[in-house]
Amino acid sequence: MRTLLNIIWFIFSGLWLALGYYLAGIICCILIVTIPWGIASFRIGNYALWPFGREVIETRPAGIATTIGNIIWVIVAGIWLAIGHVVTSIPLFVSIIGIPLGWANIKLIPVSLMPLGKEIVDSDSLMPGYRGA
């Protein structure tokens, strides 16, 4: 089922969202100071291509540097990527088949706004009963 959802996701949302993340990552890597955000953007772009079967978890307690970095990210690119998730989720919610895809889009908004301090792992590698952020 995961593979089928991922294929449908890739066609209707994943490719477009990943391209947005990759563009943000390229821009951040060109501006040398923002390379950590660029790397995070590429990581989330890969997750946006194929999200089913993977989860986002907190890697460590968020410190002040992570908080400041996430605030800068929201201002520079995060808000635009979150708007992209909302815009692509609306037409998905219209059809019954698209509801899980629309919900996956909504679940990606928190990581698109605050990517630092997060890690993407396979759902199978999580401990039973644990759900990511």
Side-chain angles (χ1 to χ4, degrees):
M1 185 58 125
R2 269 189 246 179
T3 305
L4 179 63
L5 284 172
N6 277 323
I7 291 169
I8 295 169
W9 169 268
F10 179 81
I11 294 168
F12 291 107
S13 291
L15 180 63
W16 318 116
L17 292 171
L19 290 174
Y21 280 105
Y22 295 151
L23 178 65
I26 290 169
I27 291 169
C28 286
C29 285
I30 289 172
L31 308 168
I32 305 295
V33 177
T34 56
I35 286 178
W37 292 280
I39 293 169
S41 185
F42 290 131
R43 187 182 63 222
I44 298 168
N46 289 334
Y47 178 55
L49 275 176
W50 213 251
F52 294 98
R54 298 196 282 175
E55 292 284 331
V56 177
I57 61 169
E58 297 282 335
T59 56
R60 57 195 169 281
I64 189 73
T66 302
T67 303
I68 292 170
N70 281 329
I71 291 170
I72 293 169
W73 172 258
V74 166
I75 295 167
V76 173
I79 193 72
W80 302 110
L81 293 168
I83 289 170
H85 284 292
V86 171
V87 168
T88 56
S89 71
I90 292 170
L92 291 172
F93 279 120
V94 173
S95 70
I96 292 174
I97 294 172
I99 291 173
L101 304 174
W103 184 246
N105 244 328
I106 298 301
K107 283 177 56 176
L108 279 166
I109 291 174
V111 74
S112 73
L113 289 173
M114 296 178 288
L116 301 179
K118 306 262 192 305
E119 185 179 350
I120 299 163
V121 297
D122 289 332
S123 297
D124 298 334
S125 68
L126 294 176
M127 294 187 315
Y130 179 82
R131 298 297 291 179

